[in-house]
Amino acid sequence: WDTEVSNGSGLGAEHITNLLVFGFLRNNDRDFHQELEVLGQELPVQVYLEGDREDELQTDGSRASRSFYHGRIEPDSESQDEVIHNIARHLAQAGDELDHSIQPTLVRQLAAQFMNGSLSEEDKRNCLAKALDEVKTSFPRDMENDKAMLIMTMLLAKKVASHAPSLLRDVFRTTVNFINQNLFSYVRDLVRNRLDR
């Protein structure tokens, strides 16, 4: 997988970021659970179902395997996917602590912009970037900027999806594209550092 990840584009980046954003949203999806289930079935990646979060053990001691596959999965990708899933869970927990720093008016504004059918994908990314600029002042001082930016990007996506579940697919795609354009080297390093442990 190393060559796929190192070039920062193509299937590697898309796959990693899809899993990361999906995993982040999955950690607190009560307002858009059904929409996320549908999205999970459309993604060409392995997604983890509810039971995988607890790493349930069967009576014989083996792990409950409730993940399902769509599309082509690299032979090595299970361990990488699990790493990404764990990173997403960790970032979602950090996001819970930052949740209060996003004003409801900003969420409503962003949702309204996503509802505007005449906006291009690039326009939507620009709206997301502008919203991020507005919340930058509330980034924790002790957190590195890229990490705070990544968490806030996904947190904004979660807030918009909670506010208007019908926007989940659009906001998911825009968030993945935004991360791949602006934060992918940070995401790639996060994944590499975990895999190298």
Side-chain angles (χ1 to χ4, degrees):
W1 66 273
D2 204 58
T3 51
E4 267 192 343
V5 174
S6 59
N7 67 17
S9 63
L11 258 180
E14 187 84 8
H15 176 86
I16 288 168
T17 313
N18 275 342
L19 266 184
L20 184 71
V21 176
F22 188 90
F24 184 94
L25 294 173
R26 159 71 81 207
N27 271 283
N28 194 347
D29 66 354
R30 67 178 172 277
D31 296 324
F32 49 87
H33 182 75
Q34 279 181 296
E35 290 81 1
L36 198 63
E37 288 297 310
V38 171
L39 181 66
Q41 290 168 24
E42 294 170 2
L43 289 176
V45 295
Q46 175 188 9
V47 288
Y48 291 80
L49 290 175
E50 203 64 37
D52 277 358
R53 254 196 293 203
E54 286 82 38
D55 292 341
E56 293 172 5
L57 287 176
Q58 301 288 24
T59 48
D60 65 357
S62 66
R63 240 184 101 222
S65 178
R66 290 210 223 148
S67 43
F68 56 93
Y69 293 83
H70 294 286
R72 196 181 99 251
I73 303 295
E74 297 300 317
D76 244 3
S77 69
E78 190 183 5
S79 59
Q80 179 186 328
D81 288 359
E82 284 176 352
V83 162
I84 296 164
H85 176 69
N86 288 329
I87 291 170
R89 183 171 38 195
H90 171 75
L91 293 174
Q93 288 163 353
D96 288 343
E97 293 170 31
L98 301 175
D99 196 88
H100 65 278
S101 57
I102 297 178
Q103 298 303 316
T105 50
L106 182 64
V107 174
R108 285 195 297 272
Q109 222 176 345
L110 194 55
Q113 289 164 332
F114 270 85
M115 284 176 192
N116 180 346
S118 65
L119 287 186
S120 68
E121 178 60 24
E122 189 181 351
D123 291 334
K124 289 175 184 173
R125 279 196 309 273
N126 290 337
C127 291
L128 184 58
K130 203 171 161 217
L132 274 168
D133 276 344
E134 289 188 41
V135 295
K136 258 187 186 165
T137 53
S138 56
F139 285 5
R141 301 220 180 286
D142 60 343
M143 188 182 282
E144 56 186 308
N145 194 55
D146 284 348
K147 182 177 182 178
M149 185 82 108
L150 179 63
I151 291 170
M152 283 299 205
T153 303
M154 296 190 290
L155 200 50
L156 279 166
K158 187 189 101 173
K159 295 278 227 181
V160 169
S162 293
H163 176 73
S166 63
L167 293 175
L168 176 68
R169 186 181 280 106
D170 270 2
V171 82
F172 180 88
R173 186 179 60 239
T174 300
T175 303
V176 166
N177 289 338
F178 182 87
I179 291 170
N180 283 343
Q181 277 190 350
N182 301 286
L183 294 162
F184 189 72
S185 58
Y186 175 73
V187 170
R188 182 189 57 209
D189 291 346
L190 265 185
V191 174
R192 278 194 176 148
N193 291 342
R194 291 282 177 99
L195 281 171
D196 290 347
R197 279 182 186 173

